[in-house]
Amino acid sequence: MTLLVPQHPAAAADLATFARRVARLEADAVIRIVAEGAVAGCFAETPFDALALRAVALAESLSADVVVEAGTLAARAVGANGEVELPPALPALRWTSSLPPRSGWTELVRLPGTAVDSMVADGVAEFRRRGPGVTAGRALREGRAALEALAAEVWERELAAGIPLRLAHAAESYGFLGDGEVVLRSVGPWWRLDAPHGSILARRGLALFAL
């Protein structure tokens, strides 16, 4: 049994909310929990070719690296002190992505959260507006390909500092945006978007899949 004891009792409920969002976007999704000392990083693979990260400060030191079902984690009861018993670990092969570096990140730019949220809303509105036009008169497979091309056109546009807008779209989808700044960072081939309620990470020009 692996027990996660957050420093702040409310963090357990926040983690459950994160797990529910992960499972909502992909029913069979998993979360990889990597803890070393006083912090646990809860990573999820996403449909945005990026990782979602929710960091949890711990009241009790923990050393762990486990993969668990997102839906099962979301349903876990929270103990009297805010602790959560992690679900049974899944085979490591259920996790297919490499993880980003823990240190060495360079800050690129800070953006107002409201501006980032507005850019995402504009992208969503454009996709919905243009979607029917690109699929009109096409067979199902061709229509799907046309929508994928439109999505790439919209979400690969630059957010700032060379980082694509899709990272902000992912952040909005997982409930990470909010009042406060959005900070963009990079290290090597990795990009990182840090928002008030979580982070999104992606590799520049490279797949996330582990070798």
Side-chain angles (χ1 to χ4, degrees):
M1 180 183 73
T2 302
L3 204 62
L4 198 69
V5 186
Q7 196 173 88
H8 306 289
D14 291 341
L15 179 58
T17 298
F18 171 58
R20 279 194 296 273
R21 286 174 173 147
V22 171
R24 174 174 55 83
L25 288 173
E26 291 189 279
D28 59 348
V30 298
I31 291 178
R32 182 173 176 179
I33 299 175
V34 182
E36 192 61 53
V39 178
C42 303
F43 296 88
E45 296 166 330
T46 77
F48 302 91
D49 195 23
L51 299 177
L53 166 63
R54 185 73 195 238
V56 179
L58 302 177
E60 297 181 8
S61 182
L62 177 66
S63 180
D65 187 346
V66 295
V67 178
V68 301
E69 289 183 346
T72 305
L73 178 60
R76 286 289 177 174
V78 178
N81 297 315
E83 71 274 16
V84 178
E85 181 183 340
L86 297 182
L90 299 173
L93 288 176
R94 286 289 303 275
W95 183 266
T96 60
S97 300
S98 53
L99 292 181
R102 295 184 180 183
S103 60
W105 294 91
T106 298
E107 182 177 319
L108 302 175
V109 67
R110 291 175 178 258
L111 303 170
T114 52
V116 174
D117 192 60
S118 178
M119 292 177 70
V120 172
D122 289 346
V124 171
E126 179 182 351
F127 182 83
R128 289 176 176 171
R129 183 180 69 253
R130 295 176 58 191
V134 302
T135 57
R138 296 177 183 266
L140 181 61
R141 181 177 296 179
E142 293 175 343
R144 184 179 296 119
L147 285 176
E148 290 175 353
L150 175 60
E153 178 188 337
V154 172
W155 300 116
E156 291 304 317
R157 291 172 184 161
E158 183 179 9
L159 170 63
I163 293 179
L165 185 58
R166 67 180 160 87
L167 271 68
H169 188 201
E172 190 276 333
S173 298
Y174 287 92
F176 290 169
L177 299 180
D179 295 334
E181 291 184 316
V182 168
V183 183
L184 304 182
R185 296 182 167 91
S186 70
V187 58
W190 284 90
W191 289 316
R192 177 171 179 150
L193 181 154
D194 290 319
H197 305 296
S199 301
I200 300 294
L201 305 109
R203 296 182 73 183
R204 178 172 50 247
L206 295 171
L208 283 169
F209 300 120
L211 298 178

